[in-house]
Amino acid sequence: MKEIIDALGMQRSLRRITHEIIEHNKGIEDIVLVGIKTRGEVLAKRLCEHIAQVEGKQLECYALDVFHWRDDHVNPSPLPKAKLPVKDKKVILVDDVLFKGRTVRAAMDAIMYFGRAKEIQLAVLVDRGHRELPIRADYIGKNIPSSIDEIIKVKVKEIDGSDGVYILN
């Protein structure tokens, strides 16, 4: 296991993404952040904190479990009972690693199920390529070219006890 981004590098990437989100959207009006469980949820919360520090206003931040909408499960889980207030909002979807694009596609299906968003943008800590669907991130912490056989693992202190991005061969 080789570390490719340390804790400080993660923090820098998230701060840069914060400023890119604010600049691209000309502020933070009508924006909600939605983190894809599990580590995307943690990263979305961190982005919300950074945005609050910069803008002086707290954004709504939600977690999204996309299991029901995944296309690789034979028996999908029941629809969630929780609501996600995304109707007519700019949704910034947050995930740790963008790989083939299937998790993001499932997340977009879920968001549309909960209400027609005004716009969906995507923020990822790592983009590793190898897309199977025409999905791209609007905000990227770091592009990490990798082979299809390698595994990119993001660790966050809230779950794993430390921050970092690792590549496993």
Side-chain angles (χ1 to χ4, degrees):
M1 186 161 70
K2 178 183 169 192
E3 184 177 58
I4 46 182
I5 303 175
D6 62 10
L8 187 56
M10 278 181 64
Q11 183 178 353
R12 284 185 187 124
S13 291
L14 292 174
R15 289 201 184 278
R16 183 173 33 77
I17 290 170
T18 296
H19 289 283
E20 289 174 1
I21 288 169
I22 294 166
E23 183 178 328
H24 177 81
N25 292 288
K26 298 174 179 60
I28 57 170
E29 293 303 312
D30 295 325
I31 292 178
V32 296
L33 268 70
V34 176
I36 298 174
K37 286 191 172 194
T38 299
R39 284 163 184 80
E41 174 184 5
V42 172
L43 298 175
K45 287 178 183 176
R46 290 185 189 182
L47 287 171
C48 279
E49 291 169 7
H50 292 320
I51 289 170
Q53 289 171 356
V54 172
E55 291 291 298
K57 181 180 175 188
Q58 190 68 40
L59 288 180
E60 295 176 55
C61 188
Y62 301 97
L64 177 62
D65 184 351
V66 299
F67 186 79
H68 174 80
W69 289 275
R70 297 221 24 126
D71 62 2
D72 55 357
H73 294 113
V74 177
N75 297 318
S77 63
L79 283 169
K81 295 186 184 340
K83 300 289 182 216
L84 196 62
V86 295
K87 186 174 175 18
D88 298 325
K89 302 274 187 170
K90 284 185 185 178
V91 174
I92 299 178
L93 193 57
V94 181
D95 204 5
D96 56 349
V97 178
L98 177 57
F99 185 26
K100 296 181 179 182
R102 296 192 175 276
T103 301
V104 173
R105 187 225 31 99
M108 290 190 300
D109 286 350
I111 288 168
M112 298 310 284
Y113 169 80
F114 288 112
R116 189 174 191 280
K118 182 177 182 180
E119 181 178 344
I120 299 175
Q121 299 172 23
L122 177 60
V124 296
L125 182 61
V126 174
D127 184 345
R128 62 172 293 187
H130 303 289
R131 224 70 83 236
E132 293 178 354
L133 300 172
I135 291 174
R136 64 163 179 77
D138 299 283
Y139 314 102
I140 301 168
K142 186 165 182 78
N143 285 296
I144 300 176
S146 61
S147 81
I148 195 86
D149 299 323
E150 291 175 314
I151 297 170
I152 304 289
K153 174 74 176 159
V154 173
K155 290 188 176 186
V156 292
K157 63 183 171 196
E158 294 87 337
I159 296 168
D160 307 299
S162 65
D163 286 342
V165 179
Y166 302 85
I167 191 162
L168 297 95
N169 296 338

